[in-house]
Amino acid sequence: MFTIIPAKPFNQAKTRLASILSTQQRMVLSRRLLRRTIELAQHVSEVVVISRDSDVRRVAKEAGAWALVEGGDELNTALRQASQWVAGRHSGPILILPADLPLLTLADLTELIELSPPSPSMVIAPCHRTNGTNALLINPPDLIDFQFGPDSFARHLRAAQQKGVEAVIYRSPTMAFDLDLPEDFKALQNLPT
């Protein structure tokens, strides 16, 4: 199995946190989250990071992941590019995982993978707002067109349904918590350590 992690340039990541974090702070945070996500995913699969930024790709390589040069600047196009690259090396499932899940655990990843029925199949984890997608496990890799963006959770479910696949929904508070908005960052700061 392969995990694909798309990553924006560090200096363009987490812009919705700009009201509470400086560019430098957001860059440090993004770098730390990417490394953590790669390390967790490596316990369950090979990892591919796709980015248009050479610094992101360097961090990925240093962490032992594959690093692909993104051909454009649109998320779903990048994921299609990465999944095609993976399909040339591997015929099994792929897991799409964002790098901004600060509470993600290894148990989340193993449980999500264990839920995957035989191909064709899809396991999806919604974000805590239930409109976004925080993990997407599909088999085969070209099962659906990626639908990341506004309301991606519902759009991914519809895409699977159109292919005759009943998606398995994985709900986990740690996987559901993504770091997008200032209130997310404040909630994270208030969690017990």
Short mmCIF file of all heavy atoms in Angstrom, two decimals, residues 126-187:
data_model
loop_
_atom_site.label_atom_id
_atom_site.label_comp_id
_atom_site.label_asym_id
_atom_site.label_seq_id
_atom_site.Cartn_x
_atom_site.Cartn_y
_atom_site.Cartn_z
N PRO A 126 -14.34 11.61 7.72
CA PRO A 126 -14.70 13.03 7.62
C PRO A 126 -13.92 13.88 8.62
O PRO A 126 -13.41 13.37 9.62
CB PRO A 126 -16.19 13.03 7.97
CG PRO A 126 -16.35 11.87 8.90
CD PRO A 126 -15.36 10.84 8.43
N CYS A 127 -13.86 15.17 8.34
CA CYS A 127 -13.29 16.10 9.30
C CYS A 127 -14.31 16.39 10.40
O CYS A 127 -15.48 16.01 10.27
CB CYS A 127 -12.84 17.40 8.62
SG CYS A 127 -14.19 18.49 8.15
N HIS A 128 -13.89 17.06 11.46
CA HIS A 128 -14.79 17.31 12.58
C HIS A 128 -15.96 18.22 12.22
O HIS A 128 -16.96 18.24 12.92
CB HIS A 128 -14.02 17.82 13.81
CG HIS A 128 -13.33 19.13 13.63
ND1 HIS A 128 -12.14 19.26 12.94
CD2 HIS A 128 -13.62 20.36 14.08
CE1 HIS A 128 -11.75 20.51 12.95
NE2 HIS A 128 -12.63 21.20 13.64
N ARG A 129 -15.86 18.94 11.14
CA ARG A 129 -16.99 19.75 10.67
C ARG A 129 -17.91 18.94 9.76
O ARG A 129 -18.92 19.44 9.29
CB ARG A 129 -16.47 20.98 9.92
CG ARG A 129 -15.77 21.97 10.82
CD ARG A 129 -15.19 23.15 10.03
NE ARG A 129 -14.44 24.00 10.91
CZ ARG A 129 -13.15 23.83 11.21
NH1 ARG A 129 -12.47 22.84 10.68
NH2 ARG A 129 -12.53 24.64 12.04
N THR A 130 -17.49 17.70 9.45
CA THR A 130 -18.19 16.72 8.60
C THR A 130 -18.41 17.15 7.16
O THR A 130 -19.15 16.50 6.43
CB THR A 130 -19.55 16.25 9.21
OG1 THR A 130 -20.47 17.32 9.20
CG2 THR A 130 -19.38 15.68 10.60
N ASN A 131 -17.77 18.21 6.73
CA ASN A 131 -17.90 18.60 5.32
C ASN A 131 -16.65 18.24 4.51
O ASN A 131 -16.72 18.11 3.30
CB ASN A 131 -18.22 20.08 5.16
CG ASN A 131 -17.16 20.97 5.78
OD1 ASN A 131 -16.26 20.50 6.49
ND2 ASN A 131 -17.25 22.25 5.53
N GLY A 132 -15.52 18.08 5.18
CA GLY A 132 -14.27 17.77 4.49
C GLY A 132 -13.88 16.32 4.65
O GLY A 132 -14.48 15.57 5.41
N THR A 133 -12.84 15.93 3.91
CA THR A 133 -12.32 14.56 3.93
C THR A 133 -10.93 14.57 4.55
O THR A 133 -10.03 15.22 4.02
CB THR A 133 -12.24 14.00 2.49
OG1 THR A 133 -13.53 14.08 1.89
CG2 THR A 133 -11.73 12.58 2.47
N ASN A 134 -10.76 13.84 5.65
CA ASN A 134 -9.46 13.80 6.32
C ASN A 134 -8.65 12.55 6.02
O ASN A 134 -7.48 12.49 6.35
CB ASN A 134 -9.61 13.98 7.82
CG ASN A 134 -9.73 15.43 8.21
OD1 ASN A 134 -9.83 16.31 7.35
ND2 ASN A 134 -9.74 15.71 9.49
N ALA A 135 -9.26 11.56 5.41
CA ALA A 135 -8.54 10.39 4.92
C ALA A 135 -9.42 9.71 3.89
O ALA A 135 -10.65 9.68 4.03
CB ALA A 135 -8.21 9.43 6.05
N LEU A 136 -8.79 9.19 2.86
CA LEU A 136 -9.52 8.52 1.78
C LEU A 136 -8.68 7.33 1.33
O LEU A 136 -7.60 7.49 0.79
CB LEU A 136 -9.74 9.49 0.62
CG LEU A 136 -10.55 8.96 -0.55
CD1 LEU A 136 -12.00 8.72 -0.13
CD2 LEU A 136 -10.50 9.94 -1.72
N LEU A 137 -9.21 6.13 1.60
CA LEU A 137 -8.55 4.89 1.19
C LEU A 137 -9.36 4.30 0.06
O LEU A 137 -10.54 3.98 0.24
CB LEU A 137 -8.49 3.93 2.38
CG LEU A 137 -7.89 2.55 2.14
CD1 LEU A 137 -6.40 2.66 1.81
CD2 LEU A 137 -8.08 1.66 3.35
N ILE A 138 -8.75 4.18 -1.11
CA ILE A 138 -9.48 3.64 -2.25
C ILE A 138 -8.70 2.50 -2.90
O ILE A 138 -7.47 2.48 -2.91
CB ILE A 138 -9.82 4.73 -3.31
CG1 ILE A 138 -8.57 5.46 -3.79
CG2 ILE A 138 -10.85 5.69 -2.77
CD1 ILE A 138 -8.83 6.44 -4.93
N ASN A 139 -9.47 1.55 -3.41
CA ASN A 139 -8.89 0.40 -4.08
C ASN A 139 -9.87 -0.03 -5.17
O ASN A 139 -11.01 -0.37 -4.85
CB ASN A 139 -8.68 -0.74 -3.06
CG ASN A 139 -7.87 -1.88 -3.62
OD1 ASN A 139 -7.29 -1.78 -4.69
ND2 ASN A 139 -7.85 -2.98 -2.89
N PRO A 140 -9.47 0.05 -6.43
CA PRO A 140 -8.16 0.43 -6.95
C PRO A 140 -7.92 1.94 -6.89
O PRO A 140 -8.87 2.70 -6.66
CB PRO A 140 -8.23 -0.06 -8.41
CG PRO A 140 -9.68 0.03 -8.77
CD PRO A 140 -10.42 -0.31 -7.50
N PRO A 141 -6.67 2.36 -7.14
CA PRO A 141 -6.33 3.78 -7.03
C PRO A 141 -7.12 4.71 -7.95
O PRO A 141 -7.24 5.89 -7.65
CB PRO A 141 -4.84 3.82 -7.37
CG PRO A 141 -4.33 2.46 -7.06
CD PRO A 141 -5.47 1.53 -7.36
N ASP A 142 -7.64 4.18 -9.04
CA ASP A 142 -8.40 5.02 -9.98
C ASP A 142 -9.91 4.81 -9.84
O ASP A 142 -10.68 5.09 -10.75
CB ASP A 142 -7.96 4.77 -11.42
CG ASP A 142 -8.22 3.34 -11.87
OD1 ASP A 142 -8.62 2.48 -11.03
OD2 ASP A 142 -8.04 3.05 -13.07
N LEU A 143 -10.35 4.34 -8.67
CA LEU A 143 -11.77 4.04 -8.44
C LEU A 143 -12.67 5.24 -8.72
O LEU A 143 -13.70 5.12 -9.37
CB LEU A 143 -11.98 3.56 -7.00
CG LEU A 143 -13.42 3.29 -6.59
CD1 LEU A 143 -13.97 2.08 -7.35
CD2 LEU A 143 -13.51 3.06 -5.09
N ILE A 144 -12.27 6.41 -8.22
CA ILE A 144 -13.07 7.63 -8.39
C ILE A 144 -12.17 8.79 -8.77
O ILE A 144 -10.96 8.73 -8.58
CB ILE A 144 -13.84 8.00 -7.09
CG1 ILE A 144 -12.86 8.27 -5.95
CG2 ILE A 144 -14.86 6.93 -6.73
CD1 ILE A 144 -13.47 8.94 -4.73
N ASP A 145 -12.79 9.84 -9.27
CA ASP A 145 -12.09 11.11 -9.43
C ASP A 145 -12.05 11.79 -8.08
O ASP A 145 -13.06 11.81 -7.36
CB ASP A 145 -12.81 12.02 -10.44
CG ASP A 145 -12.70 11.52 -11.86
OD1 ASP A 145 -11.69 10.85 -12.18
OD2 ASP A 145 -13.63 11.78 -12.64
N PHE A 146 -10.91 12.33 -7.71
CA PHE A 146 -10.79 12.99 -6.42
C PHE A 146 -11.67 14.23 -6.38
O PHE A 146 -11.78 14.96 -7.36
CB PHE A 146 -9.32 13.35 -6.13
CG PHE A 146 -8.45 12.13 -6.07
CD1 PHE A 146 -7.50 11.88 -7.05
CD2 PHE A 146 -8.58 11.22 -5.03
CE1 PHE A 146 -6.70 10.75 -7.01
CE2 PHE A 146 -7.79 10.08 -4.98
CZ PHE A 146 -6.85 9.84 -5.97
N GLN A 147 -12.28 14.47 -5.22
CA GLN A 147 -13.25 15.55 -5.06
C GLN A 147 -12.88 16.51 -3.93
O GLN A 147 -13.75 17.10 -3.32
CB GLN A 147 -14.63 14.94 -4.76
CG GLN A 147 -15.13 13.96 -5.79
CD GLN A 147 -15.47 14.64 -7.11
OE1 GLN A 147 -16.01 15.74 -7.13
NE2 GLN A 147 -15.16 14.00 -8.21
N PHE A 148 -11.58 16.63 -3.63
CA PHE A 148 -11.18 17.49 -2.53
C PHE A 148 -11.52 18.94 -2.84
O PHE A 148 -11.47 19.37 -3.99
CB PHE A 148 -9.69 17.32 -2.22
CG PHE A 148 -9.39 16.02 -1.53
CD1 PHE A 148 -9.06 14.90 -2.27
CD2 PHE A 148 -9.48 15.91 -0.15
CE1 PHE A 148 -8.81 13.69 -1.64
CE2 PHE A 148 -9.24 14.71 0.49
CZ PHE A 148 -8.90 13.59 -0.26
N GLY A 149 -11.89 19.67 -1.80
CA GLY A 149 -12.36 21.04 -1.93
C GLY A 149 -13.61 21.17 -1.08
O GLY A 149 -13.88 20.32 -0.22
N PRO A 150 -14.41 22.21 -1.30
CA PRO A 150 -15.63 22.41 -0.50
C PRO A 150 -16.55 21.18 -0.56
O PRO A 150 -16.76 20.60 -1.63
CB PRO A 150 -16.29 23.63 -1.15
CG PRO A 150 -15.17 24.36 -1.80
CD PRO A 150 -14.21 23.30 -2.26
N ASP A 151 -17.05 20.77 0.60
CA ASP A 151 -17.98 19.64 0.71
C ASP A 151 -17.42 18.34 0.13
O ASP A 151 -18.16 17.52 -0.44
CB ASP A 151 -19.32 19.97 0.04
CG ASP A 151 -20.00 21.15 0.71
OD1 ASP A 151 -20.00 21.20 1.95
OD2 ASP A 151 -20.51 22.03 -0.01
N SER A 152 -16.13 18.13 0.28
CA SER A 152 -15.51 16.94 -0.34
C SER A 152 -16.03 15.64 0.24
O SER A 152 -16.10 14.63 -0.47
CB SER A 152 -13.99 17.00 -0.20
OG SER A 152 -13.60 16.89 1.16
N PHE A 153 -16.42 15.63 1.52
CA PHE A 153 -16.92 14.39 2.11
C PHE A 153 -18.15 13.89 1.35
O PHE A 153 -18.18 12.75 0.87
CB PHE A 153 -17.22 14.59 3.59
CG PHE A 153 -17.74 13.37 4.29
CD1 PHE A 153 -16.91 12.27 4.48
CD2 PHE A 153 -19.04 13.32 4.76
CE1 PHE A 153 -17.39 11.12 5.12
CE2 PHE A 153 -19.52 12.18 5.40
CZ PHE A 153 -18.69 11.09 5.58
N ALA A 154 -19.15 14.73 1.19
CA ALA A 154 -20.37 14.34 0.47
C ALA A 154 -20.06 14.04 -1.00
O ALA A 154 -20.62 13.09 -1.58
CB ALA A 154 -21.42 15.44 0.58
N ARG A 155 -19.19 14.81 -1.59
CA ARG A 155 -18.86 14.60 -3.01
C ARG A 155 -18.12 13.28 -3.23
O ARG A 155 -18.36 12.58 -4.22
CB ARG A 155 -18.08 15.80 -3.55
CG ARG A 155 -19.00 17.02 -3.66
CD ARG A 155 -18.30 18.32 -3.97
NE ARG A 155 -17.25 18.20 -4.93
CZ ARG A 155 -16.19 19.01 -4.98
NH1 ARG A 155 -16.07 19.99 -4.12
NH2 ARG A 155 -15.27 18.86 -5.89
N HIS A 156 -17.21 12.91 -2.30
CA HIS A 156 -16.55 11.61 -2.41
C HIS A 156 -17.54 10.47 -2.25
O HIS A 156 -17.47 9.46 -2.97
CB HIS A 156 -15.43 11.49 -1.37
CG HIS A 156 -14.17 12.19 -1.74
ND1 HIS A 156 -13.55 13.09 -0.91
CD2 HIS A 156 -13.40 12.13 -2.86
CE1 HIS A 156 -12.45 13.55 -1.51
NE2 HIS A 156 -12.35 12.97 -2.70
N LEU A 157 -18.48 10.61 -1.31
CA LEU A 157 -19.49 9.57 -1.12
C LEU A 157 -20.33 9.39 -2.39
O LEU A 157 -20.62 8.26 -2.81
CB LEU A 157 -20.40 9.90 0.06
CG LEU A 157 -19.77 9.81 1.46
CD1 LEU A 157 -20.76 10.27 2.52
CD2 LEU A 157 -19.26 8.40 1.75
N ARG A 158 -20.73 10.51 -3.01
CA ARG A 158 -21.50 10.43 -4.25
C ARG A 158 -20.69 9.78 -5.37
O ARG A 158 -21.23 8.98 -6.15
CB ARG A 158 -21.96 11.82 -4.70
CG ARG A 158 -23.23 12.29 -4.02
CD ARG A 158 -23.86 13.49 -4.72
NE ARG A 158 -22.97 14.63 -4.83
CZ ARG A 158 -22.79 15.55 -3.88
NH1 ARG A 158 -23.44 15.46 -2.73
NH2 ARG A 158 -21.97 16.56 -4.07
N ALA A 159 -19.41 10.11 -5.46
CA ALA A 159 -18.55 9.54 -6.51
C ALA A 159 -18.46 8.02 -6.35
O ALA A 159 -18.50 7.28 -7.34
CB ALA A 159 -17.17 10.17 -6.46
N ALA A 160 -18.34 7.54 -5.11
CA ALA A 160 -18.29 6.09 -4.86
C ALA A 160 -19.62 5.45 -5.23
O ALA A 160 -19.67 4.40 -5.89
CB ALA A 160 -17.94 5.82 -3.40
N GLN A 161 -20.70 6.09 -4.82
CA GLN A 161 -22.05 5.57 -5.10
C GLN A 161 -22.27 5.44 -6.61
O GLN A 161 -22.85 4.46 -7.08
CB GLN A 161 -23.08 6.49 -4.48
CG GLN A 161 -24.49 5.94 -4.50
CD GLN A 161 -25.46 6.87 -3.78
OE1 GLN A 161 -25.33 8.11 -3.84
NE2 GLN A 161 -26.42 6.30 -3.09
N GLN A 162 -21.78 6.42 -7.37
CA GLN A 162 -21.93 6.37 -8.83
C GLN A 162 -21.15 5.21 -9.44
O GLN A 162 -21.49 4.75 -10.53
CB GLN A 162 -21.47 7.70 -9.44
CG GLN A 162 -22.44 8.83 -9.16
CD GLN A 162 -21.88 10.20 -9.52
OE1 GLN A 162 -20.73 10.35 -9.91
NE2 GLN A 162 -22.71 11.23 -9.36
N LYS A 163 -20.14 4.72 -8.73
CA LYS A 163 -19.37 3.56 -9.19
C LYS A 163 -19.92 2.25 -8.62
O LYS A 163 -19.33 1.19 -8.79
CB LYS A 163 -17.90 3.70 -8.78
CG LYS A 163 -17.18 4.85 -9.44
CD LYS A 163 -16.91 4.57 -10.89
CE LYS A 163 -16.09 5.71 -11.49
NZ LYS A 163 -15.53 5.38 -12.77
N GLY A 164 -21.04 2.35 -7.89
CA GLY A 164 -21.64 1.16 -7.32
C GLY A 164 -20.93 0.67 -6.06
O GLY A 164 -21.08 -0.49 -5.68
N VAL A 165 -20.17 1.54 -5.42
CA VAL A 165 -19.41 1.17 -4.22
C VAL A 165 -20.02 1.85 -3.01
O VAL A 165 -20.23 3.07 -3.02
CB VAL A 165 -17.92 1.59 -4.37
CG1 VAL A 165 -17.17 1.41 -3.06
CG2 VAL A 165 -17.27 0.80 -5.49
N GLU A 166 -20.31 1.07 -1.99
CA GLU A 166 -20.81 1.64 -0.74
C GLU A 166 -19.61 1.95 0.14
O GLU A 166 -18.89 1.05 0.58
CB GLU A 166 -21.75 0.69 -0.02
CG GLU A 166 -22.36 1.33 1.19
CD GLU A 166 -23.48 0.50 1.80
OE1 GLU A 166 -24.02 -0.38 1.11
OE2 GLU A 166 -23.79 0.74 2.97
N ALA A 167 -19.36 3.21 0.36
CA ALA A 167 -18.19 3.63 1.14
C ALA A 167 -18.36 3.26 2.60
O ALA A 167 -19.46 3.33 3.16
CB ALA A 167 -17.99 5.13 1.00
N VAL A 168 -17.26 2.87 3.22
CA VAL A 168 -17.21 2.65 4.65
C VAL A 168 -16.76 3.96 5.28
O VAL A 168 -15.76 4.55 4.85
CB VAL A 168 -16.23 1.51 5.01
CG1 VAL A 168 -16.11 1.35 6.53
CG2 VAL A 168 -16.64 0.21 4.35
N ILE A 169 -17.48 4.44 6.29
CA ILE A 169 -17.14 5.70 6.94
C ILE A 169 -16.42 5.39 8.25
O ILE A 169 -16.93 4.64 9.09
CB ILE A 169 -18.39 6.56 7.20
CG1 ILE A 169 -19.06 6.90 5.86
CG2 ILE A 169 -18.03 7.84 7.96
CD1 ILE A 169 -20.40 7.60 6.00
N TYR A 170 -15.23 5.94 8.40
CA TYR A 170 -14.44 5.77 9.62
C TYR A 170 -14.51 7.08 10.41
O TYR A 170 -14.08 8.12 9.92
CB TYR A 170 -12.98 5.44 9.28
CG TYR A 170 -12.09 5.36 10.50
CD1 TYR A 170 -12.24 4.33 11.42
CD2 TYR A 170 -11.12 6.32 10.73
CE1 TYR A 170 -11.43 4.27 12.55
CE2 TYR A 170 -10.30 6.25 11.85
CZ TYR A 170 -10.47 5.22 12.76
OH TYR A 170 -9.67 5.16 13.87
N ARG A 171 -15.06 6.99 11.61
CA ARG A 171 -15.18 8.19 12.45
C ARG A 171 -14.24 8.05 13.65
O ARG A 171 -14.35 7.09 14.41
CB ARG A 171 -16.62 8.37 12.91
CG ARG A 171 -17.56 8.64 11.74
CD ARG A 171 -18.96 9.02 12.21
NE ARG A 171 -19.90 9.07 11.10
CZ ARG A 171 -20.08 10.11 10.31
NH1 ARG A 171 -19.39 11.20 10.50
NH2 ARG A 171 -20.96 10.06 9.32
N SER A 172 -13.37 9.01 13.78
CA SER A 172 -12.42 9.04 14.88
C SER A 172 -12.18 10.50 15.25
O SER A 172 -11.86 11.31 14.38
CB SER A 172 -11.10 8.40 14.44
OG SER A 172 -10.03 8.84 15.26
N PRO A 173 -12.31 10.85 16.53
CA PRO A 173 -12.08 12.25 16.91
C PRO A 173 -10.65 12.71 16.64
O PRO A 173 -10.43 13.88 16.33
CB PRO A 173 -12.42 12.29 18.39
CG PRO A 173 -12.43 10.88 18.85
CD PRO A 173 -12.71 10.02 17.66
N THR A 174 -9.69 11.81 16.73
CA THR A 174 -8.30 12.21 16.49
C THR A 174 -8.01 12.39 15.01
O THR A 174 -7.29 13.31 14.62
CB THR A 174 -7.32 11.21 17.13
OG1 THR A 174 -7.73 9.87 16.80
CG2 THR A 174 -7.30 11.38 18.65
N MET A 175 -8.58 11.54 14.17
CA MET A 175 -8.40 11.72 12.73
C MET A 175 -9.26 12.87 12.21
O MET A 175 -8.91 13.54 11.24
CB MET A 175 -8.70 10.43 11.97
CG MET A 175 -8.41 10.53 10.49
SD MET A 175 -8.60 8.96 9.62
CE MET A 175 -6.94 8.31 9.74
N ALA A 176 -10.38 13.12 12.85
CA ALA A 176 -11.30 14.16 12.38
C ALA A 176 -10.80 15.57 12.65
O ALA A 176 -11.22 16.51 11.98
CB ALA A 176 -12.67 13.98 13.05
N PHE A 177 -9.87 15.71 13.60
CA PHE A 177 -9.43 17.05 13.97
C PHE A 177 -8.35 17.54 13.01
O PHE A 177 -7.21 17.07 13.02
CB PHE A 177 -8.87 17.04 15.40
CG PHE A 177 -8.54 18.42 15.91
CD1 PHE A 177 -9.49 19.20 16.53
CD2 PHE A 177 -7.26 18.95 15.72
CE1 PHE A 177 -9.19 20.48 16.97
CE2 PHE A 177 -6.94 20.23 16.16
CZ PHE A 177 -7.91 20.99 16.79
N ASP A 178 -8.72 18.47 12.15
CA ASP A 178 -7.74 19.08 11.25
C ASP A 178 -7.50 20.53 11.67
O ASP A 178 -8.35 21.17 12.26
CB ASP A 178 -8.15 18.98 9.79
CG ASP A 178 -9.56 19.45 9.51
OD1 ASP A 178 -10.22 19.98 10.42
OD2 ASP A 178 -10.01 19.29 8.37
N LEU A 179 -6.32 20.97 11.35
CA LEU A 179 -5.87 22.28 11.80
C LEU A 179 -6.02 23.28 10.66
O LEU A 179 -5.10 23.52 9.90
CB LEU A 179 -4.41 22.17 12.25
CG LEU A 179 -3.80 23.31 13.04
CD1 LEU A 179 -4.65 23.67 14.25
CD2 LEU A 179 -2.40 22.92 13.49
N ASP A 180 -7.22 23.85 10.55
CA ASP A 180 -7.52 24.76 9.45
C ASP A 180 -7.72 26.21 9.88
O ASP A 180 -7.23 27.12 9.24
CB ASP A 180 -8.79 24.32 8.72
CG ASP A 180 -8.53 23.19 7.74
OD1 ASP A 180 -7.39 23.03 7.29
OD2 ASP A 180 -9.48 22.46 7.44
N LEU A 181 -8.47 26.39 10.96
CA LEU A 181 -8.92 27.72 11.35
C LEU A 181 -8.34 28.13 12.70
O LEU A 181 -7.92 27.27 13.49
CB LEU A 181 -10.46 27.74 11.43
CG LEU A 181 -11.19 27.36 10.15
CD1 LEU A 181 -12.69 27.27 10.41
CD2 LEU A 181 -10.89 28.34 9.04
N PRO A 182 -8.33 29.43 13.01
CA PRO A 182 -7.80 29.87 14.31
C PRO A 182 -8.44 29.14 15.49
O PRO A 182 -7.76 28.80 16.46
CB PRO A 182 -8.12 31.37 14.32
CG PRO A 182 -8.05 31.76 12.87
CD PRO A 182 -8.64 30.58 12.14
N GLU A 183 -9.76 28.88 15.41
CA GLU A 183 -10.39 28.18 16.53
C GLU A 183 -9.87 26.75 16.68
O GLU A 183 -9.83 26.21 17.79
CB GLU A 183 -11.92 28.19 16.43
CG GLU A 183 -12.49 27.69 15.13
CD GLU A 183 -12.83 28.80 14.13
OE1 GLU A 183 -12.12 29.82 14.08
OE2 GLU A 183 -13.80 28.62 13.39
N ASP A 184 -9.43 26.12 15.57
CA ASP A 184 -8.82 24.80 15.66
C ASP A 184 -7.49 24.89 16.42
O ASP A 184 -7.19 24.06 17.28
CB ASP A 184 -8.54 24.21 14.27
CG ASP A 184 -9.80 24.06 13.43
OD1 ASP A 184 -10.88 23.85 14.02
OD2 ASP A 184 -9.69 24.15 12.20
N PHE A 185 -6.71 25.91 16.08
CA PHE A 185 -5.41 26.07 16.74
C PHE A 185 -5.61 26.33 18.23
O PHE A 185 -4.91 25.77 19.07
CB PHE A 185 -4.62 27.22 16.09
CG PHE A 185 -3.23 27.34 16.60
CD1 PHE A 185 -2.23 26.49 16.15
CD2 PHE A 185 -2.90 28.30 17.55
CE1 PHE A 185 -0.93 26.60 16.63
CE2 PHE A 185 -1.61 28.41 18.04
CZ PHE A 185 -0.62 27.54 17.57
N LYS A 186 -6.58 27.17 18.56
CA LYS A 186 -6.84 27.47 19.97
C LYS A 186 -7.32 26.23 20.71
O LYS A 186 -6.91 25.97 21.85
CB LYS A 186 -7.85 28.62 20.09
CG LYS A 186 -7.27 29.95 19.65
CD LYS A 186 -8.32 31.04 19.56
CE LYS A 186 -7.67 32.32 19.00
NZ LYS A 186 -8.66 33.30 18.60
N ALA A 187 -8.17 25.43 20.08
CA ALA A 187 -8.63 24.18 20.69
C ALA A 187 -7.46 23.24 20.92
O ALA A 187 -7.38 22.57 21.97
CB ALA A 187 -9.69 23.51 19.82
#
